[in-house]
Amino acid sequence: MARRDIEFDAEGTTLRGWFYPAAGVSGAAPVIVMAHGLSAVKEMYLDEYAEAFAEAGLGALVFDNRNFGASDGEPRQEIDPVAQVRDYRHAITYAIGLPEVDRSRVGVWGSSYSGGHVLVVGAIDQRVKAVVSQVPLVSGYENIRSLVRSDLIGGFRDMFDADREARFRGEAPQTVPAVSEDPAGPAAMPTADSYRWFTETHELRAPSWRNEITLRSVEMLREYEPDSYVHRIAPTPLLVLVAEDDVLTPTELALATYQKAREPKKLVILPGGHFDAYVKGFDASMVPARDWFLEHLRS
């Protein structure tokens, strides 16, 4: 599948990625704008989704989030969800200026953390005509409550405050591991499947991934609530893909958010856990997404 490297300006920060032209299409085609989840880079299987979409006649634009991978941005390894939502919108603006793209047929796809982002983008950006949200984070507050023992949450607040004061003094932001081999160890994603998937995928296909994010990223995660936007997505069509045994972005939270969405919408339950969607459950996650975009972005 032919693809080309692209870069675009996001209000002073250069973001980089790939563009996959739609196969077998003469003239302008729909486009799917895609980015990855918490700390992940585009090489972590986004190319396979983009290739599948392109083969079906859908252009795909994949980019690394600011501060990660091939994209610019400082401080490195910092995840600001509000900035990442804005970057989706910058990516849309870039995409609709490409000669291969029909500006009236834009879809957004996101997974995990970016699965939450596309709920927000779909609610606030009327250029978006179809949304696919895969294994989404829907509430940072509730997600952290589900992953962190209640008696340890106060300690995190103390760390956030100490880091804020250190940054005020001009010190570098404190960092924490994204994943840890010890589920009880400090990590932004403290689950065994997170450690296994990130470390294996890093070794197999994503050498630029780093097991590190700023502590402030966790604080901003705790403040982030895509759930509060979901009722505003309609009448834009929404597909939500939820893993039946998701312990990282808990299944029950995603299902509750889906219930708040208005029609037109569709729910697909994926077998397995959070990370199965990318590898052994790829077809189960890709096919419904592809078909949703084809249904709602055709001429």
Side-chain angles (χ1 to χ4, degrees):
M1 174 61 63
R3 76 183 186 199
R4 66 176 184 263
D5 293 339
I6 54 101
E7 63 178 43
F8 56 93
D9 177 66
E11 296 183 331
T13 298
T14 300
L15 306 183
R16 298 182 178 88
W18 303 313
F19 179 71
Y20 293 75
V25 176
S26 59
V31 68
I32 314 304
V33 175
M34 310 170 61
H36 223 317
L38 196 85
S39 90
V41 294
K42 63 186 182 300
E43 290 83 3
M44 291 174 148
Y45 296 103
L46 291 199
D47 51 337
E48 297 197 358
Y49 287 94
E51 288 173 5
F53 295 158
E55 288 170 359
L58 303 161
L61 188 148
V62 181
F63 68 98
D64 274 329
N65 288 304
R66 64 174 57 222
N67 310 333
F68 287 84
S71 290
D72 291 348
E74 297 288 342
R76 300 304 290 175
Q77 305 303 115
E78 177 141 296
I79 304 163
D80 180 341
V82 175
Q84 290 188 350
V85 165
R86 289 175 179 153
D87 289 341
Y88 257 96
R89 304 184 75 184
H90 294 312
I92 292 170
T93 302
Y94 172 77
I96 63 176
L98 296 173
E100 301 98 329
V101 169
D102 181 345
R103 63 183 299 127
S104 69
R105 294 187 285 165
V106 176
V108 290
W109 178 99
S111 187
S112 196
Y113 210 26
S114 67
H117 298 347
V118 296
L119 298 177
V120 181
V121 175
I124 65 178
D125 197 320
Q126 298 307 303
R127 297 174 298 178
V128 174
K129 304 306 180 186
V131 178
V132 173
S133 175
Q134 176 175 290
V135 294
L137 177 131
V138 296
S139 168
Y141 177 76
E142 293 297 341
N143 215 100
I144 286 180
R145 281 171 56 89
S146 73
L147 294 176
V148 179
R149 280 178 19 204
S150 58
D151 59 321
L152 299 178
I153 290 177
F156 271 97
R157 294 196 195 103
D158 292 342
M159 292 171 64
F160 296 153
D161 292 342
D163 180 56
R164 185 176 297 278
E165 292 179 20
R167 297 195 315 268
F168 186 78
R169 295 191 297 267
E171 299 175 22
Q174 183 178 341
T175 62
V176 295
V179 296
S180 172
E181 186 173 12
D182 178 7
M189 294 174 279
T191 66
D193 60 343
S194 298
Y195 178 79
R196 183 169 56 253
W197 185 83
F198 273 98
T199 54
E200 290 177 356
T201 308
H202 165 58
E203 293 172 0
L204 286 172
R205 54 177 21 241
S208 69
W209 178 77
R210 291 166 51 187
N211 187 17
E212 177 184 64
I213 65 172
T214 65
L215 180 62
R216 177 166 50 179
S217 301
V218 182
E219 184 177 26
M220 288 188 280
L221 163 63
R222 187 171 179 268
E223 299 165 355
Y224 186 44
E225 296 295 324
D227 175 85
S228 65
Y229 287 85
V230 72
H231 67 285
R232 294 167 50 186
I233 297 172
T236 303
L238 169 66
L239 171 66
V240 180
L241 304 162
V242 179
E244 61 183 349
D245 296 315
D246 198 325
V247 296
L248 182 62
T249 56
T251 304
E252 63 272 16
L253 297 181
L255 292 176
T257 291
Y258 174 79
Q259 293 302 319
K260 297 179 183 179
R262 297 169 178 166
E263 299 289 348
K265 64 180 182 178
K266 182 178 180 180
L267 174 68
V268 172
I269 303 298
L270 303 175
H274 186 86
F275 296 98
D276 288 323
Y278 303 107
V279 189
K280 66 181 181 181
F282 173 75
D283 286 341
S285 64
M286 181 279 292
V287 170
R290 179 200 64 196
D291 292 350
W292 189 254
F293 288 133
L294 289 172
E295 177 182 355
H296 295 289
L297 298 179
R298 288 189 187 277
S299 298

